[in-house]
Amino acid sequence: MAANLDRVFVVVSLVDPPASYELIDRLLVLVESSGLHPILVTNKLDLDVDGAAARISEAYEGIGYGVLVVSVRSGEGLDALRRDVCRGTSALIGPSGVGKSSLINALDPGLALRTGELSGKTGTGRHTTSSSRLIPLSCGGLVADTPGFGDVGLWGVAAAQLAACFPELADIDPCRFRSCAHDQEPDCGVRAAVESGRVRESRYQSYLKLYAEAAAAAER
Ligand SMILES: Nc1nc2c(ncn2[C@@H]2O[C@H](COP(=O)(O)OP(=O)(O)O)[C@@H](O)[C@H]2O)c(=O)[nH]1
Ligand SMILES: [Mg+2]
Ligand SMILES: [Zn+2]
């Protein structure tokens, strides 16, 4: 991840394509592993008919993330995003087709960045942003529009460092073993926190999945 970023926005869409908790967790962990605390942006509020925006906001605000619910189409939430993006250097990361380029265009219509129609068949976006670059906004900020990536690998995050990328695990009870993987070990503080409801089950499932991937990558 580029150095000298003041903040990173993890951008997902509520619909077309719908964001999964696992995808959100992957992207958040990726940013946390670089030492930045991302802000979550959920776009396409205009298409949200079943309350996904409210559920996602509650889940991630509850563990200390800033969440911006926005719609490029209706303009909702864009003022809050503008306040953050129009100073310093920001990056927007997230899958293709969620509206990253559209958001930047909405903040600075003079830019006319290319945006893509969703390919109807797969529901995934076409890769219309070919490389990331820093774009100066007329309001003052610099913003990196990154090409989308569907499957986010955990580049270089060691399995043992993974729990530190989950902010809600910072102040739970310690585990019996210092090297606890928080999986099947006895007296695990993380599992206890999941069982008591302090840590959300889907976050724990994301942790286990990413842990297995990180451990497998280390063996290669
Ligand atoms: N309905 C709706 N469509 C949007 C919104 N924002 C972007 N889109 C559409 O989503 C598609 C992908 O947008 P794009 O900005 O290229 O996504 P990127 O790949 O993340 O840069 C385009 O067809 C946009 O018009 C929104 O708020 N609502
Ligand atoms: Mg784009
Ligand atoms: Zn543990």
Side-chain angles (χ1 to χ4, degrees):
M1 201 159 295
N4 305 321
L5 287 174
D6 294 306
R7 67 198 79 79
V8 176
F9 296 88
V10 163
V11 185
V12 297
S13 52
L14 297 160
V15 182
D16 282 349
S20 68
Y21 285 112
E22 185 192 330
L23 171 70
I24 293 172
D25 292 337
R26 247 171 219 282
L27 291 164
L28 294 178
V29 164
L30 182 70
V31 179
E32 294 281 354
S33 74
S34 75
L36 287 162
H37 193 55
I39 298 161
L40 179 62
V41 178
T42 63
N43 187 32
K44 310 197 187 184
L45 177 62
D46 57 292
L47 300 178
D48 179 28
V49 290
D50 69 350
R55 285 194 300 277
I56 291 173
S57 297
E58 194 191 340
Y60 289 94
E61 282 172 350
I63 53 174
Y65 284 103
V67 181
L68 299 176
V69 180
V70 304
S71 166
V72 173
R73 189 66 51 89
S74 73
E76 268 174 281
L78 293 181
D79 283 345
L81 182 63
R82 193 173 280 118
R83 272 195 294 278
D84 283 343
V85 176
C86 291
R87 59 193 167 86
T89 304
S90 309
L92 268 52
I93 69 160
S96 186
V98 299
K100 299 180 298 299
S101 299
S102 302
L103 281 165
I104 297 171
N105 282 339
L107 298 178
D108 189 344
L111 288 169
L113 300 180
R114 279 187 63 191
T115 61
E117 294 306 314
L118 288 177
S119 60
K121 210 170 170 190
T122 60
T124 56
R126 272 195 251 129
H127 295 252
T128 43
T129 308
S130 49
S131 65
S132 66
R133 59 202 172 98
L134 280 178
I135 301 162
L137 299 176
S138 55
C139 63
L142 278 173
V143 65
D145 179 24
T146 62
F149 35 92
D151 274 324
V152 185
L154 277 185
W155 307 299
V157 184
Q161 301 306 313
L162 196 58
C165 298
F166 286 72
E168 72 271 49
L169 301 182
D171 58 355
I172 58 166
D173 294 336
C175 307
R176 186 200 298 185
F177 300 112
R178 273 179 59 107
S179 63
C180 188
H182 317 309
D183 187 1
Q184 304 289 328
E185 296 83 353
D187 297 327
C188 170
V190 171
R191 272 212 332 282
V194 175
E195 276 152 29
S196 74
R198 262 185 81 187
V199 167
R200 194 152 46 80
E201 176 69 31
S202 78
R203 290 279 288 172
Y204 181 54
Q205 291 307 321
S206 292
Y207 166 82
L208 289 177
K209 189 151 189 187
L210 293 171
Y211 189 95
E213 286 175 22
E219 274 168 27
R220 275 200 292 275

